[in-house]
Amino acid sequence: DVKVTQSSRYLVKRTGEKVFLECVQDMDHENMFWYRQDPGLGLRLIYFSYDVKMKEKGDIPEGYSVSREKKERFSLILESASTNQTSMYLCASSFPTNEKLFFGSGTQLSVL
Amino acid sequence: DAKTTQPPSMDCAEGRAANLPCNHSTISGNEYVYWYRQIHSQGPQYIIHGLKNNETNEMASLIITEDRKSSTLILPHATLRDTAVYYCIASSGGYQKVTFGTGTKLQVIP
């Protein structure tokens, strides 16, 4: 069965901390995505990657960076967490031939 | 990707068909229409996609108008478990970003 695994379901961090959100997929997908979801705002794309070491900014990249050192793993980094980054973070992956995305279960991040 | 527009919310009686509309008037010829749903506290799940022909699978049917400017997702016999947010996107695939809107919150009523 297809699997996208996010390292934590719930995470609580303090303002100013460096935060790593990890995502691993087992489908050999080239494309990987990070979204955040806030009430009333839907899913908003932060970054995506179409290959190892390749990354592209999404619609709201400010305050975030990403890393993709291996094909199966895509990490989202909050260099200095702020309270306005409290949100649900969702990772997804797909083949480039279509937009059939597979999502992880999400990480609910609270920054205090 | 073409922009899509969906109503923010809809209600449907249990056992009746739920028809969820999506407008994608700027869709280009090589863009597919994809539908996803997100049940509370879970990641979105793919439902169905199509280019210009109507499509059906075990979850739903997709009707795309002849001019491809709009589509309708049909859940033939809605159940309480179909209560979710439904997203429609239009995309040609490839190495590009995939953007979602705010979707339609479907409430199935007993």
Side-chain angles (χ1 to χ4, degrees):
Chain A
D1 219 10
V2 157
K3 215 162 175 73
V4 178
T5 303
Q6 295 186 229
S7 52
S8 305
R9 186 77 176 99
Y10 299 97
L11 208 53
V12 180
K13 295 292 181 182
R14 297 220 173 266
T15 303
E17 276 193 81
K18 189 169 186 176
V19 181
F20 292 87
L21 301 183
E22 306 286 346
C23 175
V24 178
Q25 50 97 0
D26 65 359
M27 295 160 284
D28 204 34
H29 284 164
E30 283 87 352
N31 292 356
M32 295 189 75
F33 307 83
W34 273 107
Y35 295 87
R36 67 175 281 177
Q37 185 169 34
D38 302 286
L41 297 178
L43 285 157
R44 293 182 292 167
L45 181 65
I46 305 171
Y47 268 97
F48 71 103
S49 167
Y50 53 87
D51 202 351
V52 175
K53 296 192 187 297
M54 306 302 289
K55 61 184 179 185
E56 294 284 345
K57 292 180 180 179
D59 299 316
I60 51 163
E62 297 78 20
Y64 303 95
S65 62
V66 290
S67 172
R68 193 160 179 206
E69 296 296 320
K70 293 185 177 182
K71 190 175 185 180
E72 67 271 19
R73 187 180 296 269
F74 192 35
S75 302
L76 181 69
I77 303 157
L78 287 66
E79 294 288 342
S80 177
S82 64
T83 54
N84 62 13
Q85 293 179 308
T86 290
S87 186
M88 169 68 80
Y89 290 87
L90 288 154
C91 174
S93 68
S94 73
F95 288 118
T97 49
N98 63 67
E99 249 46 288
K100 187 175 178 180
L101 272 63
F102 294 86
F103 281 84
S105 301
T107 295
Q108 179 62 53
L109 172 68
S110 296
V111 182
L112 307 178
Chain B
D1 294 351
K3 180 176 167 55
T4 59
T5 306
Q6 300 175 254
S9 64
M10 293 180 64
D11 290 338
C12 177
E14 188 177 18
R16 304 297 294 265
N19 297 287
L20 294 96
C22 179
N23 182 287
H24 31 80
S25 57
T26 60
I27 196 168
S28 60
N30 64 344
E31 287 184 315
Y32 286 74
V33 179
Y34 287 79
W35 283 84
Y36 289 80
R37 76 175 182 186
Q38 185 177 24
I39 295 170
H40 184 63
S41 299
Q42 298 180 20
Q45 176 193 24
Y46 164 84
I47 301 173
I48 197 168
H49 74 283
L51 184 63
K52 53 183 176 181
N53 297 321
N54 299 337
E55 302 287 344
T56 295
N57 63 20
E58 65 279 4
M59 293 179 69
S61 294
L62 173 61
I63 308 296
I64 302 173
T65 57
E66 196 167 336
D67 63 8
R68 301 207 331 118
K69 293 184 177 182
S70 66
S71 61
T72 301
L73 179 76
I74 301 172
L75 309 177
H77 306 285
T79 71
L80 298 179
R81 286 176 297 178
D82 293 320
T83 292
V85 177
Y86 289 78
Y87 297 94
C88 162
I89 66 170
S91 181
S92 57
Y95 301 98
Q96 60 179 322
K97 66 180 186 179
V98 179
T99 55
F100 288 74
T102 52
T104 296
K105 185 171 184 178
L106 175 69
Q107 183 72 47
V108 179
I109 302 166

